[in-house]
Amino acid sequence: MSKSKFVYVIYILAEPENVFEALTKSEMTRQYWAHDNVSDWNRGSAWKHVNSSTKEVRLVGEVIESDPPRRLVITWAFASDAGNRKKHTRVAFDIERVEKMVRLTVTHDELEPGSEMERGITEGWPRVLSSLKSFLETGKPLNVWTGKK
Amino acid sequence: MQVYGCILSRATETDKVFKALADPSRRKLLDLLYSTNGQTLGELAKHLDMTRQAVSQHLALLEEANLIATNWRGREKLHHLNPVPLYEIYERWIAKFERSRMRALRELKIRVEGGKG
């Protein structure tokens, strides 16, 4: 069965450097995402996505490509699937300047259609990206997981 | 000025989304992409009773409103549903009113039950 792919785009009034930092610095991600993204973000390094309050490691992966502040590509898997390569999905962040704004494109592919990961990310990305935009433009994130069970 | 510019651009973005949604064919295109993401113009046009050119114009308007994102697979242009602006509208226009309705219901409950909350 072919793997599925989702593409999310958001325009943010910010500098590309700020957007790249907001994705990779745990003291920033915890403010709008409620999770810490932890890595040195060098190619080949591991990264993890940790719930900021419970410290539970939710996601793990590897840095495939890192070209700050333009592009970051990582693999993305539930911590419980760390050893199962077949369940590793891939996320690319592309940051381009468009006039005074930044166009952030998140391409999430290598997803198994109908999987828990696919359901999770299709609900998650619009929330996380809206919260990121609000955080960078106004200093106030949205309550990112409101209403999520 | 920065803040004003930000509010202005947000208003324009929102206008574009509502205008894009104000057409049944464009809503149908979004539904088609919701059921199968990443389709070509040709695949999408099969489901609509209009010329390819008209479908292409609708897709351009949806892309302009950032409701679809496109990328290339070889020579094929693929269209992906981008629900991010819809979530922003949900946050701005729906969640807020839901919250106030919940508060109103809670206050009603307190009054009816004669408690102090």
Side-chain angles (χ1 to χ4, degrees), chain A residues 39-46 62-68 72-73:
Chain A
S39 176
D40 62 15
W41 306 108
N42 290 317
R43 199 176 145 193
S45 293
E62 189 187 313
V63 180
I64 310 267
E65 226 181 296
S66 182
D67 179 18
L72 177 70
V73 185

Side-chain angles (χ1 to χ4, degrees), chain A residues 106-147:
Chain A
V106 177
T107 308
H108 199 147
D109 62 5
E110 300 290 319
L111 286 149
E112 208 176 306
S115 62
E116 189 193 343
M117 183 60 91
E118 189 191 73
R119 282 196 300 278
I121 68 105
T122 50
E123 193 185 343
W125 279 123
R127 287 169 180 265
V128 169
L129 296 177
S130 301
S131 183
L132 167 65
K133 178 185 169 86
S134 185
F135 172 64
L136 285 176
E137 289 184 352
T138 69
K140 285 186 201 140
L142 302 176
N143 192 352
V144 69
W145 303 117
T146 306

Side-chain angles (χ1 to χ4, degrees), chain B residues 2-107:
Chain B
Q2 178 95 349
V3 169
Y4 182 67
C6 173
I7 290 165
L8 203 66
S9 76
R10 274 208 176 203
T12 332
E13 281 169 40
T14 311
D15 286 352
K16 282 184 188 168
V17 175
F18 279 116
K19 276 182 193 152
L21 292 172
D23 177 276
S25 303
R26 290 196 289 271
R27 292 197 298 272
K28 183 164 184 184
L29 285 166
L30 295 178
D31 277 336
L32 289 168
L33 290 174
Y34 179 78
S35 56
T36 311
N37 213 357
Q39 296 191 62
T40 61
L41 167 62
E43 287 166 334
L44 291 164
K46 272 190 249 163
H47 300 275
L48 288 161
D49 192 18
M50 55 175 76
T51 63
R52 257 174 91 95
Q53 197 189 358
V55 176
S56 167
Q57 281 166 0
H58 282 308
L59 288 171
L61 221 140
L62 288 166
E63 191 171 6
E64 175 69 14
N66 197 26
L67 286 166
I68 58 174
T70 55
N71 60 19
W72 294 86
R73 184 179 62 196
R75 286 166 63 189
E76 284 182 324
K77 188 181 191 182
L78 301 180
H79 301 80
H80 296 266
L81 176 65
N82 180 38
V84 176
L86 295 176
Y87 186 79
E88 293 182 86
I89 284 175
Y90 168 78
E91 263 296 324
R92 167 66 182 84
W93 289 102
I94 300 170
K96 184 171 83 175
F97 299 123
E98 275 179 353
R99 276 194 289 274
S100 60
R101 201 175 60 212
M102 290 306 147
R103 201 158 43 234
L105 282 172
R106 188 172 159 268
E107 279 161 13

Side-chain angles (χ1 to χ4, degrees), chain A residues 32-52:
Chain A
Y32 69 89
W33 202 337
H35 285 73
D36 291 16
N37 285 350
V38 186
S39 176
D40 62 15
W41 306 108
N42 290 317
R43 199 176 145 193
S45 293
W47 81 281
K48 57 185 177 176
H49 184 66
V50 184
N51 183 306
S52 305

